[in-house]
């Protein structure tokens, strides 16, 4: 597609402008203002020499949509603008992106260092699949930066980070761990799904490869799966080559849905994290809540690091209910403006206990070892009005209190 002749690029533009115009300062066929969904599996050529040049990558163009597709390329250009990356590669899901990055850069005999709190699916790759192909995996306590640095110093090919973590919102000091990784020549990969490119740009902090589950905040409406990988051109061509062969390409319909959602990312996130902060502060005052996790609270153990490396604290809050699963079962169904579901990053507020969402595949013992109690609930705060979300929580807590009083007043 042709660049608009008067296009000045987005070099000095803010995140909101990049989200709208990134990848889309182009002239489309028919003068369409919106990115076309190009469904063609293959692209035709009458001139065999031109075809050959395109196939060899010597001339621009498309050959077959497992390799590249115009709609998917627009999405890749848009996330590149937001993460300020040279290049990006789109996948059929966040997990396809994560597994493909790990399989691109790790080989038999290599070692990867990460933390115990990574996303459940990522953790399964570390514990189940990588060891099977002869990759040594060391998972450190997420809060223990000294231990992570010690393990990095022993030598590794990949350092894999995720911050803030799911569902306990721990914060890793990206620059500090990147420095340790650079000393041993390791590639640093970061899952930036929870922060979003609005709040955190890991590439600017020295990370080599940034991954997003576009299923979450980027698409923003809980109606599409996708994954995105960003970084320098040289690294991304390796990831792209792996995708061409492994085939976990994003389809053009999904790419369009994510492009459409990303245009409102900045507006959504501003509202969502404002409400998240208000909910976190309210939860701190609620007697039925034992503890609250939110990087924006001064009481968060790594609040200072979060302030330094994040532009905002995100829209996920988690808290521990007194009374454990019994309280969870009464409180959650009582909420009027919330889905109880295993997703996050949508315009609707979503509540879910760790037991049925992020850590459904773990046993009770494993969850407790990770510091995840049965009363831990994660909230992905939506774009509803802040006061409505606060009132909703308050009425649900009032209901729980009523029930508890009734039961405690019953004759023994
Ligand atoms: C959801 C999620 C993933 C996996 O993404 P899918 O699109 O569901 O495959 C990876 N990392 C984080 C932090 C997530 O929240």
């Amino acid at each position: 597609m042709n660049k608009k002749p008067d296009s000045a690029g987005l070099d000095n533009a803010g995140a909101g402008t990049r989200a709208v115009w990134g990848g889309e300062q182009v002239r489309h066929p028919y003068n369409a203002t919106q990115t076309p969904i190009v469904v063609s599996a293959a692209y035709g050529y009458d001139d065999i020499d031109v075809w050959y040049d395109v196939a060899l990558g010597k001339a621009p163009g498309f050959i077959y949509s497992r390799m590249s597709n115009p709609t998917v390329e627009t999405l890749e250009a848009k996330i590149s603008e937001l993460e300020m990356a040279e290049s990006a590669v789109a996948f059929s899901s966040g997990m396809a992106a994560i597994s493909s990055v790990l399989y691109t850069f790790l080989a038999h005999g290599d070692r990867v260092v990460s933390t115990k709190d990574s996303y459940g699916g990522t953790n399964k790759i570390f514990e189940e699949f990588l060891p099977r192909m002869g990759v040594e995996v060391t998972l450190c306590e997420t809060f223990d930066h000294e231990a992570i640095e010690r393990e990095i110093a022993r030598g590794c090919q990949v350092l894999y980070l995720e911050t803030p973590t799911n569902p306990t919102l721990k914060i890793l000091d990206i620059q500090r761990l990147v420095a340790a990784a650079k000393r041993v020549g390791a590639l640093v990969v970061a899952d930036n799904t929870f922060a979003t490119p609005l709040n955190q740009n890991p590439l600017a902090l020295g990370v080599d490869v940034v991954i997003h589950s576009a299923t979450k905040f980027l698409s923003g409406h809980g109606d599409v799966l996708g994954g995105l990988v960003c970084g320098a051109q040289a690294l991304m061509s390796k990831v792209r080559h792996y995708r061409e062969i492994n085939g976990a390409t994003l389809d053009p319909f999904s790419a369009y849905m994510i492009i459409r959602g990303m245009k409102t990312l900045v507006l959504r996130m501003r509202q969502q994290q404002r409400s998240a902060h208000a909910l976190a502060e309210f939860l701190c005052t609620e007697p039925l809540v034992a503890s609250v996790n939110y990087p924006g609270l001064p009481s968060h153990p790594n609040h200072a690091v979060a302030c330094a490396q994040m532009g905002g604290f995100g829209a996920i809050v988690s808290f521990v209910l007194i009374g454990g699963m019994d309280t969870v079962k009464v409180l959650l169904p009582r909420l009027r403006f919330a889905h109880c579901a295993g997703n996050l990053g949508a315009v609707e507020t979503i509540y879910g206990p760790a037991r049925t969402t992020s850590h459904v595949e773990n046993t009770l013992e494993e969850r407790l070892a990770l510091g995840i109690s049965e009363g831990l609930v994660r909230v992905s705060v939506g774009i509803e009005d802040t006061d409505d979300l606060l009132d909703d929580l308050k009425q649900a807590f009032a209901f729980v209190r009523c029930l508890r009083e009734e039961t405690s007043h019953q004759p023994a």
Side-chain angles (χ1 to χ4, degrees), residues 92-96 98 119 122 160 162 164 166 191-194 212-216 224-227 343-344 378:
S92 54
S93 71
M95 280 314 303
I98 292 167
Y119 179 74
T122 311
Y160 187 97
E162 186 180 323
N166 181 20
D191 182 334
N192 204 30
T193 302
F194 268 41
H212 284 280
S213 166
T215 314
K216 313 294 171 52
V224 61
L225 291 169
N343 194 16
L344 57 95
R378 180 184 70 198

Side-chain angles (χ1 to χ4, degrees), residues 69-321:
N69 168 280
T71 316
V72 173
E73 277 197 355
T74 299
L75 171 61
E76 291 170 344
K78 192 181 283 298
I79 190 63
S80 298
E81 282 293 346
L82 279 169
E83 284 292 10
M84 288 165 280
E86 271 176 33
S87 182
V89 188
F91 287 88
S92 54
S93 71
M95 280 314 303
I98 292 167
S99 56
S100 297
V101 165
L102 291 169
Y103 294 138
T104 299
F105 294 110
L106 288 165
H108 192 275
D110 283 349
R111 179 164 183 264
V112 48
V113 173
S114 189
T115 58
K116 291 189 178 169
D117 284 79
S118 54
Y119 179 74
T122 311
N123 194 265
K124 286 286 161 211
I125 299 181
F126 287 148
E127 302 214 305
E128 205 176 318
F129 293 97
L130 288 179
R132 210 197 267 178
M133 52 179 260
V135 174
E136 185 189 335
V137 180
T138 304
L139 301 181
C140 306
E141 293 297 342
T142 309
F143 52 79
D144 192 346
H145 281 69
E146 283 78 17
I148 304 169
E149 283 170 329
R150 262 197 313 278
E151 290 299 337
I152 296 169
R154 283 184 50 218
C156 60
Q157 281 64 42
V158 168
L159 169 67
Y160 187 97
L161 307 175
E162 186 180 323
T163 178
T165 63
N166 181 20
T168 48
L169 288 309
K170 295 188 183 88
I171 298 290
L172 291 168
D173 186 333
I174 296 176
Q175 273 175 308
R176 176 175 168 181
L177 297 174
V178 162
K182 294 300 152 196
R183 284 195 283 273
V184 298
L187 185 87
V188 186
V189 180
D191 182 334
N192 204 30
T193 302
F194 268 41
T196 80
L198 174 64
N199 291 326
Q200 185 170 282
N201 295 120
L203 296 176
L205 301 172
V207 165
D208 300 297
V209 177
V210 171
I211 304 179
H212 284 280
S213 166
T215 314
K216 313 294 171 52
F217 294 101
L218 292 181
S219 64
H221 293 71
D223 53 5
V224 61
L225 291 169
L228 296 166
V229 179
C230 319
Q233 186 70 51
L235 294 174
M236 291 309 103
S237 54
K238 290 182 185 169
V239 174
R240 189 179 301 281
H241 175 65
Y242 185 84
R243 186 192 67 180
E244 284 176 10
I245 305 309
N246 132 299
T249 314
L250 185 67
D251 86 38
F253 283 106
S254 298
Y256 180 77
M257 296 283 274
I258 299 168
I259 289 168
R260 189 182 204 266
M262 278 173 75
K263 295 186 192 196
T264 55
L265 172 73
V266 173
L267 285 178
R268 284 185 280 110
M269 280 308 287
R270 281 192 193 133
Q271 169 68 12
Q272 284 170 265
Q273 56 197 16
R274 193 165 38 229
S275 293
H277 214 124
L279 252 64
E281 281 175 350
F282 161 70
L283 287 162
C284 290
T285 68
E286 168 53 56
L288 279 167
V289 171
S291 60
V292 182
N293 306 308
Y294 186 64
L297 295 174
S299 58
H300 187 287
N302 268 337
H303 178 63
V305 176
C307 287
Q309 75 187 13
M310 300 179 78
F313 303 110
I316 309 284
V317 181
S318 68
F319 57 97
V320 176
L321 284 168

Side-chain angles (χ1 to χ4, degrees), residues 18-77:
R18 284 169 193 271
V20 173
W21 285 104
E24 301 198 71
Q25 287 183 297
V26 291
R27 292 248 179 261
H28 298 302
Y30 313 113
N31 283 344
T33 58
Q34 301 306 312
T35 293
I37 303 174
V38 179
V39 294
S40 200
Y43 304 81
Y45 294 88
D46 293 326
D47 185 324
I48 306 297
D49 292 328
V50 172
W51 183 5
Y52 194 51
D53 280 349
V54 173
L56 292 178
K58 287 183 187 163
F62 301 90
I63 295 289
Y64 186 64
S65 279
R66 173 154 49 73
M67 317 302 193
S68 58
N69 168 280
T71 316
V72 173
E73 277 197 355
T74 299
L75 171 61
E76 291 170 344

